[in-house]
Amino acid sequence: MGKHVFESLFHPQHIIVVGASERPHSLGERVLTALLRTPFQGKITPVNLRHKTVGGLKAYPNINRVAETADVALILTPPSGYEALFKACHKKQIRHAVVVQDWENQCAEALLPAQAALQKAAYPGLNITVCTPAAIQAPACGLNSGIYPGHARQGDVSVISWHAATGAAIMSVLTRAKLGLSRHISLQPGLSPTTSAPLLDCLEAAPSTRLIVLEYNPDEPLRDLFSAIRHITRQKSVILYCTHHTTPQEQAILRHLSRYCSFLVTFTPDELLAGIHALACGKAHAEKLHVIANTPCDWLQSQAASLDIAVQMAPRNPRPSENHNGYIGSNPSTLHYRGLAESNLQSSHTEALLAVVVPTADSNEAEITHVLRQLQQQHRKPLFISSPLSDGLLQFRNTRQALRAFSYHHHNHKLKQLRIQTAKPLPGYLKTPDLTEVGMHLDQPELLLKALHLPDPNTATTPFAARLHFYYHTRYGALLFADSPNGNIALLPPFNTLQAERLIQQLDLKRSQKVIYQLLHSLNSIIGQMPQITDIKISLSPGNHSSEITVLQETHTASRIRAPYPAPVRNTFTLKNGQTVPIRPLTPEDAEAEQQFVQNLSEKSRQSRFMAHVKALSQSTLASFCNIDYHREGAFTATDSDGSLLGVSRFSCTHYPAQCEFGISVAENMHGQGLALCLMQEIIALAAQQGYHRMTAEILKTNQPMLKLAEKLGFTVTPSPDDSELYQASLSLLPSANNSKRKSKQ
């Protein structure tokens, strides 16, 4: 695959600076100075209407006069000229137009021509990005296109911010932790057509990036954003930093999305600092934390408990120097402190160590901190240092930050484990609502609840065990919020049995298990089908459940964050033997059936499908096959009368939106029935709908039926350049050239 289109934004070979100037303190002077101050490896061409040279560089009166094309046009001029500049960039075949202004100090009237020009600039091949004055930094190529000092240290942390101040704060944390920067871009909220999702797709393919810190902008397309995050967290770590005010409901929603997409969410600067340290350290996973300190440290117990951390503290000892897990005395020597830390890290009982260093009578805390810093680099086990002289990764000025970092270090591992969980099948007692009957009783609450198989509208007794509230959030769409004395949880549809189990376990609702399962099942049936049902409340009490329901004639503007299950092109398919089978999307509850389907395949079929000798799917593969993000992936299945899978076709993202990869298997007794063709047509249609440009696959040369099917569907089949045993199949999902030209003219 070629490089992502935004790769040239971070590693340009040629930048045209429109509005470059020598006028002191002007934007054009400050940006050009920043570009020349760093060792930028590419070419810089100023554009200035009045001067033939700027800063010793040859200047041109406009973009059209520049002989060579460029990767980036950096536009620093007032908004009144944007429309003409975008047109000139398109004519010059420049891929990126980056607009930089101090937008926060612009009057409202100045924003209007910028907004009008951005709305008109729909030029194919031209990507427009509107930035704050922090603009773009990429130390690997010496690029700093903003007015702020560049982060000179090159590293593996990338930052996407939506405010210059937030970007500067993140840079300060990276500097203190002695972490280097891979890339930083500071977008302007409300103006930039470029959003976080395509930038995340670009960073996914960047080997120089290991951790991404992303400022959360709730006003950008959220389904695109969280789908991109979920995809990139398969390989890299992501921290979502929420800087705007959040209600308890929104915090619960973001924590739910954190579990679904495997990112770490932070809400305060202290949380962000701890999160960056935890995810950047690359240390081994740990669940328990040992402590040594040159000060009495029993007070750490309450701090650790508030963060739900298991701290290993030894009981009080009259000879503290022999207590290796807690207070080691007020005035230990440097070597004594180091020896205790080393012995703890060497012990098989220690998973992680917190070393607390406070000023002593001998004032040797600087030496102790220094030797602990060296020890920290020699061990895979995490060593957290709390010292007033802290300066580096996993080093903190106070113990609470250190404890929070350990908490995030452990939580990040739990997020990865959640990703490989699979859902149980739907319970047999569930009843699917008849939507016709539901529609007949929209004005009769009691009958409507009965049609939805929900509890009667009785008065619930107190104390309540939990209250469940389904409603439409103005930003996040359909939402189920659960509140109980044990905490609160938010869930987003489509709901599944994994979410039901989480509600039951976390809120201790075992006695209400059937009600919860039925509620989620009924909600899945009506969301999108019955938009008039806008509010359902269920109160759960021991031995008593009650419901309230509200029906309104209104339209909801907020789209669902998680993509709904897609409607198949055809709901049923008639096999050549005359049997009719249903076609539907694969769901998380199909995990057991999927595993059984694979195990029932012949050894030859499994070899053809997975190109390896497998008897069953691993837990991680099974989870990835069934926990599908239908915004970027897809899978369809056909089932028989008892629910067994007869065939499964799927595609997954390899490089969004450039390419996806398909796979298909059908049961042995379905060969020659035409089912494979039907299932392939379903995923081809869905992949094209999701915006993919191409669908590909590698096929064994011995798999003649699949090769014939691919050719029948229009795939181009060629020998693989990398493996003599394989063919490559490729199908363009873009409209034909004639259709593209017609649309362009229109």
Side-chain angles (χ1 to χ4, degrees):
M1 286 296 299
K3 292 183 178 180
H4 193 279
V5 64
F6 278 94
E7 184 64 26
S8 56
L9 183 66
F10 294 103
H11 287 85
Q13 301 299 311
H14 183 195
I15 299 177
I16 296 176
V17 185
V18 182
S21 172
E22 293 181 0
R23 181 164 53 87
H25 310 301
S26 66
L27 181 63
E29 182 267 338
R30 296 173 72 186
V31 170
L32 185 59
T33 300
L35 282 169
L36 295 174
R37 185 189 298 123
T38 55
F40 178 59
Q41 299 168 6
K43 181 180 179 180
I44 300 173
T45 300
V47 168
N48 187 297
L49 189 61
R50 297 180 178 85
H51 301 281
K52 294 184 177 181
T53 63
V54 179
L57 300 174
K58 183 179 179 181
Y60 295 84
N62 56 59
I63 291 178
N64 295 325
R65 293 289 185 91
V66 180
E68 303 174 11
T69 188
D71 301 297
V72 175
L74 194 60
I75 299 174
L76 312 175
T77 52
S80 56
Y82 287 173
E83 188 173 346
L85 286 170
F86 295 153
K87 186 175 181 180
C89 289
H90 172 61
K91 184 178 180 181
K92 196 70 178 176
Q93 296 183 337
I94 297 173
R95 303 184 77 179
H96 300 281
V98 179
V99 179
V100 179
Q101 279 291 335
D102 187 4
W103 299 103
E104 292 182 357
N105 292 319
Q106 295 279 342
C107 62
E109 290 75 13
L111 297 179
L112 294 177
Q115 293 170 336
L118 290 165
Q119 289 175 356
K120 292 180 180 179
Y123 296 108
L126 176 65
N127 300 287
I128 301 174
T129 304
V130 182
C131 288
T132 72
I136 302 171
Q137 291 85 38
C141 64
L143 172 66
N144 179 20
S145 60
I147 64 175
Y148 295 105
H151 192 88
R153 183 185 177 96
Q154 181 181 344
D156 57 10
V157 181
S158 288
V159 179
I160 301 174
S161 65
W162 286 90
H163 297 89
T166 303
I170 296 172
M171 294 302 154
S172 175
V173 174
L174 297 182
T175 301
R176 272 189 55 192
K178 297 192 181 302
L179 293 169
L181 180 70
S182 172
R183 301 166 182 190
H184 174 217
I185 183 168
S186 185
L187 304 171
Q188 177 60 35
L191 281 178
S192 181
T194 297
T195 57
S196 302
L199 296 172
L200 289 169
D201 292 328
C202 176
L203 292 175
E204 182 196 9
S208 60
T209 296
R210 190 166 60 90
L211 169 64
I212 300 165
V213 183
L214 168 64
E215 183 184 1
Y216 180 43
N217 176 13
D219 295 322
E220 62 178 319
L222 295 184
R223 185 182 293 180
D224 291 343
L225 171 65
F226 289 109
S227 184
I229 292 176
R230 189 173 191 270
H231 186 70
I232 199 172
T233 50
R234 297 183 307 177
Q235 302 175 12
K236 306 177 189 292
S237 298
V238 173
I239 297 176
L240 188 74
Y241 181 31
C242 188
T243 56
H244 70 281
H245 170 70
T246 53
T247 63
Q249 287 85 353
E250 187 172 9
Q251 289 193 19
I253 293 168
L254 290 174
R255 289 194 175 98
H256 164 71
L257 289 166
S258 166
R259 294 169 61 92
Y260 174 67
C261 302
S262 303
F263 65 85
L264 183 67
V265 58
T266 59
F267 298 97
T268 67
D270 277 350
E271 291 180 355
L272 174 66
L273 182 148
I276 289 175
H277 280 264
L279 270 61
C281 69
K283 298 292 185 178
H285 169 244
E287 295 189 8
K288 291 190 295 184
L289 182 66
H290 278 63
V291 177
I292 58 175
N294 64 341
T295 182
C297 53
D298 287 350
W299 50 270
L300 272 175
Q301 294 280 20
S302 58
Q303 278 195 359
S306 67
L307 295 170
D308 197 25
I309 295 174
V311 173
Q312 188 70 39
M313 304 280 286
R316 288 185 179 275
N317 193 316
R319 300 183 62 186
S321 62
E322 296 178 2
N323 181 357
H324 292 190
N325 294 317
Y327 178 41
I328 62 173
S330 299
N331 199 28
S333 69
T334 301
L335 290 181
H336 181 52
Y337 203 125
R338 186 193 185 284
L340 293 177
E342 176 70 40
S343 63
N344 270 272
L345 291 170
Q346 293 288 356
S347 171
S348 59
H349 299 291
T350 302
E351 298 178 2
L353 180 65
L354 168 61
V356 181
V357 183
V358 299
T360 65
D362 288 343
S363 300
N364 64 342
E365 65 270 16
E367 288 184 356
I368 293 175
T369 303
H370 179 71
V371 299
L372 290 177
R373 189 179 297 143
Q374 292 180 323
L375 193 62
Q376 188 183 60
Q377 298 172 0
Q378 298 169 12
H379 285 269
R380 277 282 295 150
K381 292 179 180 179
L383 169 56
F384 299 83
I385 303 172
S386 174
S387 165
L389 303 174
S390 294
D391 184 24
L393 194 59
L394 294 189
Q395 299 176 42
F396 306 91
R397 303 288 171 87
N398 62 69
T399 55
R400 186 163 185 85
Q401 288 179 340
L403 290 171
R404 192 184 295 278
F406 172 77
S407 173
Y408 285 153
H409 181 68
H410 174 54
H411 181 63
N412 188 51
H413 176 76
K414 289 169 62 177
L415 289 174
K416 294 177 181 178
Q417 295 302 113
L418 289 173
R419 190 149 195 159
I420 63 174
Q421 284 187 342
T422 53
K424 297 178 181 178
L426 291 171
Y429 56 75
L430 293 182
K431 300 177 182 178
T432 302
D434 183 335
L435 295 184
T436 302
E437 183 182 359
V438 170
M440 293 171 57
H441 299 303
L442 290 176
D443 58 345
Q444 300 170 292
E446 291 190 14
L447 294 177
L448 180 56
L449 288 171
K450 186 175 181 180
L452 292 172
H453 309 293
L454 299 180
D456 295 330
N458 300 323
T459 303
T461 59
T462 55
F464 69 92
R467 290 193 176 100
L468 310 182
H469 186 194
F470 167 77
Y471 64 102
Y472 285 86
H473 193 282
T474 54
R475 179 173 285 155
Y476 299 98
L479 162 69
L480 180 66
F481 185 74
D483 186 22
S484 84
N486 295 322
N488 57 53
I489 292 176
L491 301 176
L492 298 174
F495 304 114
N496 56 56
T497 56
L498 271 176
Q499 294 169 315
E501 286 298 315
R502 183 187 172 212
L503 267 179
I504 294 165
Q505 293 174 9
Q506 192 163 329
L507 302 185
D508 193 19
L509 299 174
K510 186 68 174 177
R511 294 183 178 181
S512 305
Q513 175 175 312
K514 289 188 176 181
V515 176
I516 291 171
Y517 269 100
Q518 184 61 61
L519 171 64
L520 298 189
H521 183 63
S522 296
L523 290 178
N524 276 340
S525 301
I526 63 172
I527 294 173
Q529 302 296 321
M530 292 288 171
Q532 307 96 320
I533 302 176
T534 58
D535 197 286
I536 297 176
K537 296 177 182 176
I538 295 184
S539 297
L540 305 176
S541 300
N544 188 12
H545 307 136
S546 88
S547 302
E548 298 177 31
I549 193 164
T550 302
V551 178
L552 296 174
Q553 297 293 334
E554 62 179 28
T555 302
H556 304 286
T557 57
S559 62
R560 292 161 61 175
I561 304 303
R562 294 177 54 185
Y565 297 137
V569 175
R570 61 181 92 184
N571 294 320
T572 60
F573 178 71
T574 303
L575 304 174
K576 290 182 179 179
N577 62 10
Q579 178 186 355
T580 300
V581 296
I583 306 293
R584 61 170 177 83
L586 200 72
T587 67
E589 289 84 0
D590 289 318
E592 287 187 12
E594 169 82 4
Q595 185 71 279
Q596 190 62 52
F597 170 73
V598 171
Q599 291 175 339
N600 289 341
L601 292 174
S602 67
E603 184 176 348
K604 180 180 178 182
S605 294
R606 289 196 297 267
Q607 170 71 15
S608 297
R609 171 63 180 88
F610 302 107
M611 299 185 190
H613 295 287
V614 297
K615 294 184 178 180
L617 299 176
S618 66
Q619 181 66 25
S620 59
T621 301
L622 182 62
S624 67
F625 274 15
C626 297
N627 301 336
I628 298 171
D629 171 18
Y630 276 100
H631 189 59
R632 290 196 173 192
E633 305 168 306
F636 288 92
T637 184
T639 58
D640 61 15
S641 57
D642 65 359
S644 298
L645 306 188
L646 299 176
V648 179
S649 63
R650 68 176 68 253
F651 68 92
S652 58
C653 176
T654 50
H655 300 279
Y656 188 82
Q659 182 175 297
C660 62
E661 187 176 37
F662 79 85
I664 183 171
S665 295
V666 296
E668 305 300 320
N669 61 341
M670 289 292 105
H671 290 184
Q673 295 294 322
L675 181 60
L677 178 65
C678 170
L679 292 175
M680 281 295 300
Q681 289 170 335
E682 293 290 346
I683 62 170
I684 290 171
L686 181 59
Q689 181 183 328
Q690 291 179 0
Y692 281 101
H693 300 169
R694 184 168 297 279
M695 178 178 281
T696 65
E698 290 185 334
I699 305 173
L700 286 172
K701 287 186 174 181
T702 56
N703 191 357
Q704 288 299 317
M706 187 65 243
L707 292 170
K708 291 180 180 179
L709 177 62
E711 290 178 342
K712 186 174 183 179
L713 288 163
F715 283 81
T716 300
V717 179
T718 57
S720 170
D722 304 316
D723 193 327
S724 61
E725 299 298 320
L726 298 176
Y727 277 114
Q728 288 182 335
S730 178
L731 176 68
S732 174
L733 302 178
L734 294 173
S736 65
N738 291 337
N739 290 340
S740 298
K741 290 179 181 178
R742 188 179 300 114
K743 290 180 180 179
S744 179
K745 289 179 180 179
Q746 291 174 350

